[in-house]
Amino acid sequence: MGLILRRGETTRRLLIAAFLAALGTGALAQQAAGSFVGTWKGDVPGIGEATLVISALRSDGQVEGRMEFALQGFVSTFADKADSAKRTNKGTVSDGTLTIEAALGGRYVLQRTGDGLSGRYTRGTTLDVPVTLRKY
């Protein structure tokens, strides 16, 4: 005996299936973004030893945490915009990429790779270097 659905039931089931699929996609995106949370250490050529601490990611993809540079003990926190006077960076995660507009100028574009973050740091036309940070 086969299952017979009325027109309204079919539409309702399709809507529920679409809703559940959308929830699953959102959960996967949130899970991927969460893989950026942690403490990352490495060296930024031309700047020196760096520690990136990502304590949380907001629902809009904005990063919470701080960056620390051994050189002169410089520490900058994440906020809504990069500001050198306030020592704030703006960091966002979107489509598997972490982008940081740095307090000291320049931009980091990093992707999650194995146990690290890899990408580039650029500042104007004077600095364009590879960056690799490892999770600790």
Side-chain angles (χ1 to χ4, degrees), residues 38-44 48-54 66 68 110 115-118 131-136:
T39 301
W40 309 86
K41 294 185 179 196
D43 187 71
V44 179
E49 185 182 326
T51 301
L52 169 63
V53 178
I54 299 177
R66 68 186 182 282
E68 304 169 357
L110 306 168
D115 67 342
L117 297 173
S118 295
V131 175
T132 300
L133 304 173
R134 298 279 175 233
K135 193 168 191 176
Y136 283 84

Side-chain angles (χ1 to χ4, degrees), residues 3-116:
L3 179 63
I4 299 173
L5 298 175
R6 288 185 219 120
R7 183 180 224 170
E9 290 177 27
T10 302
T11 303
R12 190 174 323 126
R13 287 181 186 227
L14 286 173
L15 286 173
I16 291 170
F19 176 73
L20 292 174
L23 282 178
T25 302
L28 289 175
Q30 188 175 28
Q31 206 172 37
S35 70
F36 285 89
V37 173
T39 301
W40 309 86
K41 294 185 179 196
D43 187 71
V44 179
I47 296 177
E49 185 182 326
T51 301
L52 169 63
V53 178
I54 299 177
S55 56
L57 286 174
R58 298 190 327 205
S59 61
D60 62 358
Q62 193 164 332
V63 172
E64 294 181 6
R66 68 186 182 282
M67 289 184 81
E68 304 169 357
F69 295 93
L71 182 67
Q72 299 178 1
F74 186 85
V75 176
S76 56
T77 58
F78 287 98
D80 291 332
K81 68 177 190 171
D83 186 318
S84 60
K86 293 180 181 177
R87 291 186 172 199
T88 59
N89 308 308
K90 181 175 182 181
T92 54
V93 173
S94 178
D95 296 326
T97 300
L98 168 62
T99 303
I100 300 170
E101 300 294 333
L104 293 174
R107 173 188 293 200
Y108 294 84
V109 178
L110 306 168
Q111 294 186 334
R112 187 78 160 83
T113 56
D115 67 342

